Amino acid sequence: AQKVTQAQTEISVVEKEDVTLDCVYETRDTTYYLFWYKQPPSGELVFLIRRNSFDEQNEISGRYSWNFQKSTSSFNFTITASQVVDSAVYFCALMDSNYQLIWGAGTKLIIKP
Amino acid sequence: NAGVTQTPKFQVLKTGQSMTLQCAQDMNHNSMYWYRQDPGMGLRLIYYSASEGTTDKGEVPNGYNVSRLNKREFSLRLESAAPSQTSVYFCASSDRHDSYNSPLHFGNGTRLTVT
């Protein structure tokens, strides 16, 4: 079965700490994509990153980095030197070979000043 | 750029009432979607429209109907609201449904309460 698990329902850290959000997926497909979206308190979900199943290179964008490991079926998201503006719900999602998106339940990240 | 616009932002209905949620996008996207978000469950797809003139059921279509009015607009109708439909509803659009390279663009959501 296709499934995305975000085991951390809520994480709370103090500003400037590093934090990692976990995402574990299950799929039978050999071709698939993984996504991260951010949902700030304003409500709308915002696309952060897309990764295909053939590219295991880690990605860094400013304070954000993503670690994709097929061996452990994980696509984890790390925020370095967290800021209050990073407070949001973060969703990991899997797009399967039929282009269907399977969403994780989300991780609520609270950054305290 | 407005992106994806949903109306209304909030709505309270009594059981059995009907209503239509409106969604419009100005990005010339071909595909549009309706999701519901419930605590601890992520997003679940209700219906989608891969292109103008087509609609398909998603994971949780029961109790809902949709209309792709034109390329810009995609509405979601609850014919007889039930408390189980209390949720936050999101409209989204993408350039193409059958593409890995078309991330979703979301509206701000409609918070619906059915009493």
Side-chain angles (χ1 to χ4, degrees), chain A residues 7-90:
Chain A
Q8 305 149 308
T9 54
E10 184 172 307
I11 301 174
S12 180
V13 301
V14 176
E15 201 173 19
K16 297 195 179 117
E17 286 185 12
D18 299 347
V19 57
T20 295
L21 283 60
D22 297 333
C23 174
V24 174
Y25 62 93
E26 296 175 30
T27 181
R28 291 182 300 272
D29 295 331
T30 53
T31 300
Y32 54 89
Y33 271 69
L34 296 162
F35 297 78
W36 277 95
Y37 283 81
K38 174 182 181 180
Q39 185 180 36
S42 54
E44 85 285 8
L45 284 87
V46 177
F47 165 73
L48 293 178
I49 191 172
R50 170 187 61 241
R51 206 62 169 160
N52 76 57
S53 52
F54 299 106
D55 183 1
E56 287 194 71
Q57 270 197 319
N58 290 336
E59 176 123 0
I60 299 174
S61 176
R63 296 182 297 105
Y64 294 176
S65 62
W66 291 268
N67 184 317
F68 176 31
Q69 290 195 332
K70 286 180 80 170
S71 60
T72 56
S73 297
S74 65
F75 186 42
N76 297 336
F77 173 30
T78 297
I79 301 175
T80 303
S82 60
Q83 299 176 2
V84 172
V85 294
D86 296 326
S87 296
V89 180
Y90 290 87

Side-chain angles (χ1 to χ4, degrees), chain A residues 31 33 35 37 39 43-45 47 50 91 95-97 99-101 103-105, chain B residues 35 37 40-43 45 48 90 97-104 106-108:
Chain A
T31 300
Y33 271 69
F35 297 78
Y37 283 81
Q39 185 180 36
E44 85 285 8
L45 284 87
F47 165 73
R50 170 187 61 241
F91 290 95
M95 182 175 278
D96 65 17
S97 55
Y99 308 104
Q100 300 299 315
L101 265 179
W103 295 83
Chain B
Y35 283 92
Q37 182 182 18
M41 299 188 73
L43 279 78
L45 182 64
Y48 68 98
F90 285 97
H97 175 68
D98 59 346
S99 169
Y100 294 117
N101 296 316
S102 296
L104 296 176
F106 285 84
N108 286 338

Side-chain angles (χ1 to χ4, degrees), chain B residues 23-35:
Chain B
C23 175
Q25 52 91 10
D26 63 2
M27 295 172 283
N28 201 35
H29 283 166
N30 293 293
S31 303
M32 298 185 73
Y33 310 79
W34 277 105
Y35 283 92

Side-chain angles (χ1 to χ4, degrees), chain B residues 1-2 6 8 10-11 18 26 30-32 35 38 44 50 54-55 63 69 71 76-77 87 97-99 108 114:
Chain B
N1 251 354
Q6 289 182 237
F10 301 95
Q11 184 71 49
S18 62
D26 63 2
N30 293 293
S31 303
M32 298 185 73
Y35 283 92
D38 300 293
R44 292 184 291 169
T54 70
T55 60
L69 305 169
K71 191 171 185 180
L76 177 72
R77 183 159 178 84
S87 187
H97 175 68
D98 59 346
S99 169
N108 286 338
V114 183

